Amino acid sequence: MATLNVPLRPKLNGAKSSGASTKAVILVGGPSRGTRFRPLSLDVPKPLFDVAGHPILWHCLRAVAKVPGIREVILVGYYEEQVFREFIKDTARELPKIKMQYLREYQALGTAGGLYHFRDAILKGGPDRFFVLNADVCCSFPLEQMLKVFEDKDAEAVILGTRVSNEAATNFGCIVSDPESKRVLHYVEKPESHISNLINCGVYLFSTETIFPAIKGAIKRRADRPRLVSYPSAENLESSFLDRLEEGEKNEVLRLEQDILSDLADSNQFFVLETKDFWRQIKTAGSAVPANALYLMKAFQQQSEELADPSANILPPVFIHPTAEVDPTAKLGPNVSIGPRAVIGPGVRVKESIVLEDVEIKHDACVMYSIIGWNSRVGAWARVEGTPTPVGSHTTTVVKAGVKVQSITILGKDCGVGDEVRVQNCVCLPNKELKRDVANEVIM
Amino acid sequence: MKALILVGGYGTRLRPLTLTLPKPLVEFANRPMIEHQVESLAAAGVTDVVLAVNYRPEVMEGALKKYEEKYNINIVFSVETEPLGTAGPLKLAEKVLGKDDTPFFVLNSDITCDYPFQELAEFHKAHGEEGTIVVTKVEEPSKYGVVVHKPDHPSRIDRFVEKPVEFVGNRINAGIYILNPSVLKRIELRPTSIEQETFPAIVKANQLHSFDLEGFWMDVGQPKDFLSGTCLYLSSLTKKGSKKLSSPKEGYVFGGNVLVDPSAKIGKNCRIGPNVTIGPNVVIGDGVRIQRSVLLAGSKIKDHAWVKSTIVGWNSSIGRWARLENVSVLGDDVTIGDEIYVNGGSILPHKSIKQNVDAPSIIM
C-alpha cells in the first residue's frame, strides 16, 4: 500500500489568513454510472447535458469560479479524456482565471478512492482546503457561505445540507447535527429508519490535513477487517461480510458517503451548512426538467441577460438559444429551454420542458413536462406531455392507476412524433417514429 | 295521416346533454332530433303527431308549438303516468290514432335515417295487411333481434329471433312502423312491449310485413352512437350533394362532411373535418383542429385546441392547446382550461376542468 505523504503545514492560530488557498474537485462519474439518465446519456455524457442552456457541469463550475481565491479546478471521473476536451477548452475561454484539468480513473475507485488516488495533483501547490462537488446536483452552491463556516468554526470539514420531507429523507445521506453549534454528530447513508430530515447535498469543503488521513484510515480499516454489509445477526452472520477482499483490485473502492463521512462525524470539527435555497439531484433523465426550472429561475432572479424577454407569449423564465427560430405566435414558458437551431412553429405551446439542438416542432403542437431529444421532430397538433410533480418532490415517477410511470416524457435523439399524435408519460429511446398515440410506456 | 313518436323518459343514456334539454330537442346536425322527424312526417302528408312521453317538460311544448306552425301539423302530448313500455303508449293515444281507418306511423325518437315514410305508406297499402315494420341490414345480427321471413314470401314475417347464435338473417327491426288502427285492439292499457307482445301476435295472424330501409340507420340514444350517427347523416348529405355542407374549397375544410351554421365564426389556419357539425354562434379560434365532433350552439374553441370524437355542449369553452378525444361529452356551460387533456370524460353542466382527465370517467 502506498504511503501517505501529506505535507503537514503548521496550523495557523485563530482565524485563518484570507490568503489561504482553496481548490475545487468536481466528481463527474463515468459512463457505466449514469444509466438512470438514459435515454439521454446514450448520446451525451450526463455532466455535459444542457439544462437552462448550459451543461450541468457548467453550472457547478460557474459557482466555483465565483469564489475568490479558487484558481484551480480538477474534474475527477472515469470517462475517456476526449469527452471533456472540448468543454474544457470552451470553459477556459469563458473563465480565464481558472485552471482546469480532467483526471481520469482507469477503474472506478469510488468518490473517496478517486480523491485519494489523485491526492498528489490535489495537494500540488499546497492548498489548505478544497471543495468537493458532485456534478449531478442542481443547487445554488453557497460555497462562500461554506467557506465562512469553515473559517468561523475552524472546521476540518463542512458539508452542505438541506431539509427534505421525512418520507424522502431515507433515500439520501442523513445528517444529525447539534442545533446550536451545527456540528455534525452522526451521519448515515440511506438509513432504513428515520434518522433526520437534514440530508447530504453532495457538496463538501475539506481541510487537506484532515481528509486524506481520514481516507487512509478507512483504507487501513478496510484491509484489517472486511466491511459489514449489515449488522450481523444469527441468520446472516455468514453472508454479512462482503467478499470484496477476495477481489483484491476492488479494495480501493471507497465512497465518501458510506466510508468516510460517518467516521468524520466522530471528529469534533465537522460542521453542516444548512441551505434554504434550492437543491435537486440529477439522477434520472426526467430530473433534468426540474433542474432546468431551478437554474432558469435562478437566472431570472439574477436578471440574467441570457433569458428571453417576457412578453404576451413568453412566460418567464425562458431560455432561447440565439440560433433557434421561434415563431412569434408560439407561446413558451415558464421554465423552458430551447436549444441551438431548434425551430418552433406558429401556434406552438411549450411549457416546463427542454427542447434540444436541431429539434423541429410544427405548428399548433403542444409540449409540456417533456424533454425533446436532439434532432427530433414533433408534428402539427401533436401533444407530447408529462405530468407535473409536486414542488419539492425528489422523485420523477408518478403512480397512475396503480402503476408507476415516468412523470416526464422523454424523446431520445432523432425521434419523430406524427401529426396529431399524443405521447404521454413515455420514455422513447433514440431513432423511433411514433405514429400512434402512446401513454405510460417505455418505447424501445 | 297520423303518427306517434315514442319519446319515453329522461334520456339518461344521453346525459350529460339531457340534463339540460329533453332528448328530442338535442340538436342532431344542428337541428333538434324531433324536428328531423316532424319535418319528414309532414312531408309524407302526416297532419297529426302524438308525442308519447312519460314526463312533461314545458320547454318541449314551447319548442313544438313552433313546429305546429312551421310544418302545419297538430302535435299533442300523450303523457304516461307510469311508463307503459313501447306498446302501451299506442293504446293511450287510441283516440287520435284510431279516429279514422287510415294507418298510422310509429317511430322511436332515437332513430336517425332517411325516413322513408312516403314509400312505406305506399308499400303498406299495397299489401293491405295489418302492419309493416321497417328493417335494416346489419353486419352483426347476433347483437339484435332478427326478422325471419316466410319461405314463400319476400316480405311477410315468419318469426323474430332474439340475438341469434347461428345466422338466420341479417335484417333487424329499425324502430319505424306503419300499422292499421285494428292493431290497437290487440294492445291492453298496461306496460307492454310492441316488439315482444304485439308483433308476435300479428305475425301469428300472418299480417305483418317488413320493408327494407335504403341507406344509413342509427340509434343515436347514447353519445358514442350520436357521433357515429352524425357521421352517417353527414355522409348521406355529401352523397346527395347537399348545399348545406361547407364547400371543400373552404380553406379549413379537411376531408369533407362539415356542416357549419352561418352564424359560426372560424379563425385562421384551422383544419376541420371530416364529420363535424358546428352550431349557431360557435366561435373557433386560430390553428384549431376538429374532427368527428359535434359543437353545439354558443360553444367556443380557443386557439390551437385539438378536438376529436367529442360532443361540446352548449356555451361550453375549450381552452388553448387543450386536447379532447375518445367520446368526451361536455354538458352545458363547461369550461376546459388551457392545455388540459380530456380522454373520454363525461362532464356535467357548469363544471370547470383544470386538471387532465386521463382515463374515461364522469366528472360530477
Side-chain angles (χ1 to χ4, degrees), chain A residues 359-418:
Chain A
V359 163
E360 183 186 5
I361 302 181
K362 291 204 180 139
H363 65 88
D364 303 298
C366 183
V367 173
M368 303 191 292
Y369 304 97
S370 297
I371 299 171
I372 310 298
W374 309 269
N375 206 35
S376 288
R377 300 156 314 282
V378 175
W381 284 294
R383 183 181 177 101
V384 179
E385 178 185 21
T387 308
T389 49
V391 180
S393 159
H394 285 277
T395 156
T396 49
T397 56
V398 286
V399 176
K400 282 171 67 180
V403 181
K404 212 187 209 185
V405 299
Q406 289 300 316
S407 58
I408 302 299
T409 288
I410 300 166
L411 303 184
K413 193 178 184 181
D414 290 313
C415 284
V417 176

Side-chain angles (χ1 to χ4, degrees), chain A residues 313 329-331 346-349 351 363-366 368 381-383 385-386 400 419-422 424 437, chain B residues 254 269-271 286-289 291 303-306 320-323 325 338-341 343 356 358:
Chain A
N313 280 334
T329 62
K331 184 176 173 185
V348 163
R349 177 77 178 101
K351 168 175 158 181
H363 65 88
D364 303 298
C366 183
M368 303 191 292
W381 284 294
R383 183 181 177 101
E385 178 185 21
K400 282 171 67 180
D419 287 357
E420 306 186 29
V421 167
R422 175 170 183 265
Q424 186 198 32
D437 292 1
Chain B
F254 183 83
N269 303 320
C270 291
R271 187 183 290 175
D286 296 340
V288 168
R289 175 80 182 100
Q291 52 202 311
D303 300 348
H304 319 299
W306 187 97
R320 303 210 287 161
W321 292 289
R323 183 179 178 110
E325 62 182 315
D338 286 356
E339 298 152 22
I340 294 295
Y341 173 64
N343 172 14
N356 285 0
D358 281 327

Side-chain angles (χ1 to χ4, degrees), chain A residues 117-266:
Chain A
H117 185 79
F118 293 117
R119 60 191 178 281
D120 291 345
I122 296 168
L123 291 169
K124 197 176 168 196
D128 302 282
R129 59 219 174 177
F130 62 99
F131 283 101
V132 175
L133 285 74
N134 275 300
D136 64 358
V137 302
C138 158
C139 170
S140 61
F141 297 110
L143 304 181
E144 287 184 73
Q145 290 177 51
M146 289 176 75
L147 261 181
K148 187 167 185 307
V149 171
F150 193 87
E151 294 188 347
D152 289 352
K153 306 276 188 185
D154 195 17
E156 291 169 332
V158 176
I159 182 171
L160 188 68
T162 191
R163 300 272 173 194
V164 297
S165 70
N166 285 348
E167 306 79 66
T170 50
N171 298 317
F172 300 98
C174 292
I175 302 162
V176 182
S177 65
D178 182 288
E180 293 300 313
S181 69
K182 306 298 174 196
R183 203 165 69 75
V184 176
L185 303 175
H186 187 60
Y187 181 88
V188 198
E189 186 69 16
K190 299 188 180 80
E192 282 173 21
S193 56
H194 178 71
I195 304 281
S196 158
N197 66 356
L198 180 62
I199 61 146
N200 175 5
C201 290
V203 180
Y204 318 96
L205 176 57
F206 294 120
S207 140
T208 43
E209 282 174 16
T210 306
I211 190 65
F212 291 113
I215 300 175
K216 190 184 181 192
I219 293 169
K220 187 158 189 308
R221 277 196 306 282
R222 170 71 60 82
D224 292 346
R225 66 172 160 85
R227 181 166 166 269
L228 288 175
V229 178
S230 58
Y231 293 100
S233 66
E235 291 84 47
N236 66 0
L237 193 56
E238 289 299 314
S239 62
S240 65
F241 293 93
L242 277 184
D243 44 5
R244 276 205 185 134
L245 280 185
E246 289 163 27
E247 309 162 46
E249 79 281 1
K250 283 196 179 166
N251 200 13
E252 266 191 292
V253 174
L254 269 182
R255 284 162 297 183
L256 267 179
E257 297 82 9
Q258 281 91 332
D259 300 310
I260 310 297
L261 294 181
S262 51
D263 288 339
L264 278 182
D266 288 341

Side-chain angles (χ1 to χ4, degrees), chain B residues 59-96:
Chain B
V59 50
M60 203 151 119
E61 290 183 30
L64 286 163
K65 270 274 169 309
K66 284 190 302 189
Y67 301 146
E68 285 195 311
E69 289 162 26
K70 189 170 175 186
Y71 298 107
N72 194 27
I73 52 168
N74 302 312
I75 297 177
V76 293
F77 281 81
S78 171
V79 184
E80 302 151 46
T81 45
E82 59 166 328
L84 292 175
T86 48
L90 275 64
K91 191 71 176 178
L92 192 65
E94 193 168 17
K95 255 192 200 143
V96 180

Side-chain angles (χ1 to χ4, degrees), chain B residues 125-354:
Chain B
K125 277 172 197 155
H127 69 65
E129 292 178 345
E130 262 196 286
T132 307
I133 68 174
V134 177
V135 295
T136 183
K137 257 198 247 180
V138 291
E139 289 185 350
E140 294 183 68
S142 56
K143 290 182 183 170
Y144 304 88
V146 172
V147 171
V148 183
H149 293 102
K150 295 275 187 199
D152 58 346
H153 198 283
S155 73
R156 187 174 287 125
I157 294 170
D158 181 62
R159 63 186 195 278
F160 296 95
V161 183
E162 202 47 44
K163 298 191 171 65
V165 182
E166 268 184 55
F167 184 86
V168 289
N170 57 6
R171 282 170 167 77
I172 65 156
N173 179 351
I176 299 171
Y177 326 114
I178 184 165
L179 306 170
N180 289 345
S182 61
V183 170
L184 296 169
K185 296 193 191 87
R186 298 178 179 275
I187 305 171
E188 292 168 43
L189 190 62
R190 61 171 172 87
T192 161
S193 158
I194 200 166
E195 298 89 352
Q196 317 270 335
E197 298 182 52
T198 316
F199 288 157
I202 309 175
V203 163
K204 221 171 179 184
N206 288 324
Q207 292 280 309
L208 194 63
H209 289 256
S210 75
F211 173 87
D212 274 348
L213 179 67
E214 297 293 320
F216 72 101
W217 174 88
M218 193 63 152
D219 178 334
V220 296
Q222 47 190 337
K224 177 172 153 285
D225 299 332
F226 193 89
L227 288 168
S228 303
T230 301
C231 297
L232 294 173
Y233 177 81
L234 294 173
S235 300
S236 95
L237 289 186
T238 298
K239 213 178 277 174
K240 290 177 194 160
S242 168
K243 290 279 186 311
K244 289 181 190 166
L245 295 177
S246 293
S247 158
K249 284 176 197 144
E250 287 278 3
Y252 60 81
V253 172
F254 183 83
N257 293 2
V258 177
L259 180 68
V260 181
D261 186 275
S263 62
K265 290 192 179 68
I266 296 176
K268 298 188 295 263
N269 303 320
C270 291
R271 187 183 290 175
I272 296 173
N275 300 310
V276 174
T277 71
I278 297 175
N281 304 312
V282 168
V283 177
I284 295 173
D286 296 340
V288 168
R289 175 80 182 100
I290 306 173
Q291 52 202 311
R292 205 176 187 277
S293 291
V294 170
L295 277 48
L296 295 175
S299 57
K300 184 170 186 188
I301 317 291
K302 294 188 185 165
D303 300 348
H304 319 299
W306 187 97
V307 179
K308 182 180 184 180
S309 297
T310 292
I311 303 174
V312 181
W314 310 273
N315 311 307
S316 285
S317 156
I318 293 179
R320 303 210 287 161
W321 292 289
R323 183 179 178 110
L324 286 83
E325 62 182 315
N326 196 18
V327 195
S328 289
V329 186
L330 315 187
D332 180 35
D333 183 38
V334 164
T335 303
I336 305 293
D338 286 356
E339 298 152 22
I340 294 295
Y341 173 64
V342 179
N343 172 14
S346 257
I347 299 165
L348 270 62
H350 313 298
K351 293 294 285 186
S352 187
I353 303 299
K354 295 180 183 114

